[in-house]
Amino acid sequence: MNGRPENWERRLHLAAHPFAYPLLRGVARRGPVVRVPGVGVVVNDASLARGVLMDGETFRKDGPGSPGDLWTPVLGPSVLLNMEGDAHRALRRRLTDLFTPAYADELCARVLAGPLDRLRARLADGAPVDLVDAARVMAGAVISEVIGLDLSTEREFRRLFEQGERVVSTVSLRTRRLSPSQIRRARAVLDPLGDAAAKAYAAGDETTVMGRMRTLGLSEGEARGAAGAFFLTGTETVATFTPRLIALLADSGLLADAAEPDGFLDRAIDEAMRFTTPTPVMLRSVHRAAAIGGAAVRPGDRVLIATHNCCRDLGPFDPGRPHPPELRRLWFGAGPHFCIGYPLAAAQIRRVARTVLDAAPLRIAGRSAARNVLIPTYRRLTVRAAGGAR
């Protein structure tokens, strides 16, 4: 490897978080568990992080300094990302079959057929393609289908993505609560989406996500909350990752390998997820006295799982290296809060990446880093198929 993957990824992180990222990486050198004033108890070790995530009784998402503090005023009290205990387990059981791999793949195949055909044609013509914009359009198309919106054009999909981006951009790595004005702005975006989700829920069409929620026994309020949670947590994560995946493969000289139908792409996606860590930190609130790796924590303490530090500890980007068990898809969580939308994200990423890679040989024609965003990403990543028509 030539080192460029690490260099560009560092640029993305520094552009997104010029002060917080050096602090985060500096804390990693202080040990597996570090108490940082004003931040909380930072966990930098994958095994310890997995232990925290698996213990939903001690380390919760609904206490002070947790995601519940952040999102409950916007999404309501009954969404998976701000629940614990029996209520969380009951809702999780009802949602278990919502995004099966087969259903997720069928949904993406149907929804992305048109956008992917247009992307494929542009690449075949040798036209420059901004993968950042393309990924946003794809993410907007999929989440539109999930919520039950009646959107059909790339302009509409792009605008939907931008609405979510505006909400998420109000959050930084240090944010504990949204201000009243931030809550009002978020509700102005999310309430109409909730109305659309409620309409799809009432229609009860079992081919739609909201209709399936009704069949699975969720209430209308739970369906509205789930739609908002999917919109906030899934759209930007997938859209920001896909250009970074292609850039990592290009900078490592592995685009040709990823284009081969031998399973390499799936391994490359997992490794790129590990290396980019689309969820760089996860938050928990301590519910009862405990210890993390010998470090005592008290009720009310805020635990910041530095997922990025845990994942980067394995080393440079290398799709040929297996992941140890404690690291397996840690970026999607673990235990009772493992991301329920993972199959949908994986299906979307795989289809978009395969379409791009099928146009190989590719070259990166230009790129720049996005600034002041929550999830590090490219502002622009332009690629061109070297073998396309002119």
Side-chain angles (χ1 to χ4, degrees):
M1 295 183 194
N2 57 20
R4 287 188 63 199
E6 289 75 13
N7 291 344
W8 264 105
E9 277 295 314
R10 179 173 173 78
R11 289 191 200 184
L12 299 185
H13 283 281
L14 288 174
H17 304 288
F19 302 108
Y21 184 68
L23 173 64
L24 186 72
R25 295 300 286 150
V27 170
R29 294 190 288 271
R30 299 290 301 277
V33 183
V34 184
R35 186 177 289 271
V36 180
V39 175
V41 178
V42 181
V43 180
N44 299 308
D45 175 82
S47 294
L48 297 177
R50 186 170 291 277
V52 169
L53 294 172
M54 295 293 289
D55 185 356
E57 299 301 321
T58 303
F59 306 100
R60 300 172 66 97
K61 297 188 79 170
D62 59 356
S66 72
D69 256 8
L70 197 62
W71 294 117
T72 296
V74 174
L75 297 172
S78 298
V79 293
L80 290 177
L81 56 80
N82 62 359
M83 298 173 68
E84 292 290 359
D86 292 341
H88 174 266
R89 284 188 286 271
L91 181 57
R92 178 89 187 194
R93 278 196 299 271
R94 281 179 285 165
L95 287 171
T96 298
D97 294 330
L98 185 62
F99 292 124
T100 64
Y103 178 78
D105 191 58
E106 182 279 326
L107 185 152
C108 288
R110 172 167 45 84
V111 172
L112 296 180
L116 287 178
D117 281 345
R118 290 188 287 274
L119 174 62
R120 189 177 294 110
R122 291 181 62 197
L123 289 168
D125 286 342
V129 173
D130 180 5
L131 289 185
V132 173
D133 181 68
R136 291 180 171 195
V137 168
M138 307 290 175
V142 171
I143 201 64
S144 171
E145 176 72 12
V146 169
I147 294 173
L149 300 174
D150 187 20
L151 306 182
S152 59
T153 69
E154 291 195 359
R155 182 178 180 181
E156 290 173 319
F157 297 147
R158 192 177 290 112
R159 182 174 179 274
L160 179 63
F161 177 88
E162 290 168 353
Q163 287 179 307
E165 188 178 39
R166 283 197 296 273
V167 175
V168 174
S169 67
T170 63
V171 179
S172 74
L173 295 181
R174 293 175 64 92
T175 302
R176 289 175 178 262
R177 292 182 178 88
L178 297 179
S179 68
S181 63
Q182 288 173 324
I183 292 171
R184 286 193 298 271
R185 289 197 296 271
R187 293 294 297 269
V189 171
L190 293 172
D191 285 352
L193 301 184
D195 294 341
K199 183 178 179 181
Y201 173 92
D205 182 352
E206 291 189 26
T207 65
T208 68
V209 174
M210 292 299 130
R212 294 182 76 210
M213 285 190 183
R214 181 172 179 173
T215 301
L216 291 170
L218 276 76
S219 69
E220 180 184 302
E222 289 170 333
R224 287 180 68 112
F230 293 149
F231 179 67
L232 289 179
T233 61
T235 310
E236 194 162 4
T237 300
V238 173
T240 57
F241 172 74
T242 307
R244 293 169 79 182
L245 166 67
I246 299 301
L248 280 169
L249 291 171
D251 292 339
S252 304
L254 297 173
L255 280 176
D257 294 325
E260 295 298 321
D262 63 353
F264 182 90
L265 177 58
D266 286 340
R267 297 194 301 275
I269 289 172
D270 262 0
E271 172 64 357
M273 281 279 186
R274 191 276 303 179
F275 191 73
T276 63
T277 324
T279 308
V281 301
M282 299 180 189
L283 301 176
R284 293 294 186 271
S285 177
V286 178
H287 183 61
R288 60 191 182 193
I292 306 174
V297 292
R298 302 178 294 272
D301 276 348
R302 185 189 197 221
V303 176
L304 188 149
I305 298 169
T307 327
H308 183 74
N309 291 342
C310 298
C311 292
R312 280 294 185 91
D313 190 54
L314 188 63
F317 178 70
D318 181 2
R321 177 180 52 218
H323 294 169
E326 66 273 14
L327 200 59
R328 181 171 170 78
R329 293 179 182 150
L330 188 66
W331 45 93
F332 280 115
H337 285 285
F338 184 81
C339 178
I340 200 167
Y342 163 70
L344 184 64
Q348 182 178 338
I349 290 165
R350 193 179 298 112
R351 284 190 172 273
V352 177
R354 175 57 65 194
T355 299
V356 174
L357 293 169
D358 282 348
L362 293 168
R363 65 180 180 87
I364 295 178
R367 55 179 148 183
S368 60
R371 299 188 178 279
N372 302 317
V373 292
L374 179 61
I375 302 176
T377 188
Y378 287 96
R379 182 175 67 86
R380 174 181 59 91
L381 182 77
T382 304
V383 300
R384 188 190 292 268
R390 293 292 182 269

